[in-house]
Amino acid sequence: MSFSLPDFRRKWSYRGNMSAGAAMVTAALGLAIVLPEPVDARNYAAPLDIFGLGTPRRHRSVHATKIPLPKPRPEDAPKGTGKPTDEAAPEADDKASPDKPSPDKPNGSKPAEAAPPPEKQLSACRLALTEEIAVAPSIPDIHGPGACGGEDLVRLEAIVLPDKRKVAVKPAAILRCTMASAIADWVRTDMAPLANSLASTITDLDNFDSFECRGRNRVAGAMLSEHGKANALDVRSLKLANGQTIGLTDRTLSRDVRERVLHSVCARFSTVLGPGSDWYHEDHIHLDLAQRRNDYRICQWNVWDPLPQIAPLLPAERPAEAPPREVAAKSEAAKSEGAKSEGVKSEGPKEGADDQEKPAAPADKPAAKSGKSKPATKKRR
């Protein structure tokens, strides 16, 4: 094999030399980049390390700092309960992250929980109707059916008199607090002195009707009664400790006592219905506090006179000296016939009438019996 310079120049031209040199330089740079370097000298990642072959870069060294420890707990300090205090936690969280939703506030992504209903405040009537006045526990409000029901309701079980004696309401009445307070004040102020005047005390109040969802007088289609609003009470009587009963519509009771009851209830209640108002209140008294225009009041109660002790149901006995009933009937019939004949004679003859007078029928003939004894007997009764 012969080798000559011309052949070399022909095979390896200048352009080939340049391309070969460039290839060698590129290879040298690639090796220089790929080969590991000291860690301290590499602060940045290799620009051509696209496959992650280089040694990972370490972070700067962190100098250790001495953290102070808390002081020991003194011996005389009070002992803790051991329970974590979470009171300050919400405040710290709110300050740290103001945009974080609070658990009490509704979030857009979660449904809001219904807040518990606030406690109902007691009315002035409920605060005034204490146990020293009446035994009347509160009951829940009634709504329906329809317009029936009411709020601030109580169950009036007994009324406490000023001497601490109790008047039982039988049966217990469901009323509004204002109505129950009015009934208690009426019994304590007016009825207790009335019972004292009768040398006794009140023990029971006969409740005929209180709350009932119905129309007036239980008539179908009538307006809603005050009973349906728990604003009315029907009273039939008051029982005393000595066994006596004050029947408000009892005609055998003294008229003075019933009139005292009438004046007391008409002065306190807006509606009073009793005997004489209609056929529905002949045996009890209706009391309510209905609100009307211009505070209009209704008091319809007729205090009837007492009935006689002995009613004249039979006629008086026939006297012994009276004639027998048959003889008395005949004499009465004869007198009546004589009066008729005298009347015909005095009138005189009429046109077309016979001039002859009709003879009078003797008393012993059957004509005398035509008068009969029943009309005469009726006259006597």
Side-chain angles (χ1 to χ4, degrees), residues 98-174:
D99 298 336
K100 184 179 179 181
S102 175
D104 297 337
K105 298 179 180 180
N107 192 3
S109 60
K110 296 181 180 180
E113 297 180 358
E119 296 183 359
K120 186 177 180 180
Q121 296 182 354
L122 298 178
S123 63
C125 174
R126 178 68 270 187
L127 295 175
L129 192 63
T130 60
E131 295 181 354
E132 298 179 355
I133 298 176
V135 180
S138 298
I139 62 175
D141 299 341
I142 299 177
H143 300 285
C148 292
E151 299 179 353
D152 195 16
L153 303 179
V154 299
R155 185 174 63 252
L156 184 61
E157 300 176 356
I159 300 169
V160 182
L161 298 179
D163 58 357
K164 304 304 180 182
R165 297 185 182 183
K166 293 183 179 179
V167 178
V169 180
K170 296 182 179 180
I174 297 178

Side-chain angles (χ1 to χ4, degrees), residues 217 249 271-287 298-304:
N217 299 324
T249 60
T271 306
V272 178
L273 300 177
S277 60
D278 50 36
W279 290 102
Y280 301 96
H281 300 90
E282 295 296 324
D283 58 348
H284 66 276
I285 303 300
H286 171 91
L287 309 173
I298 297 176
C299 183
Q300 297 179 357
W301 177 6
N302 294 334
V303 179
W304 305 117

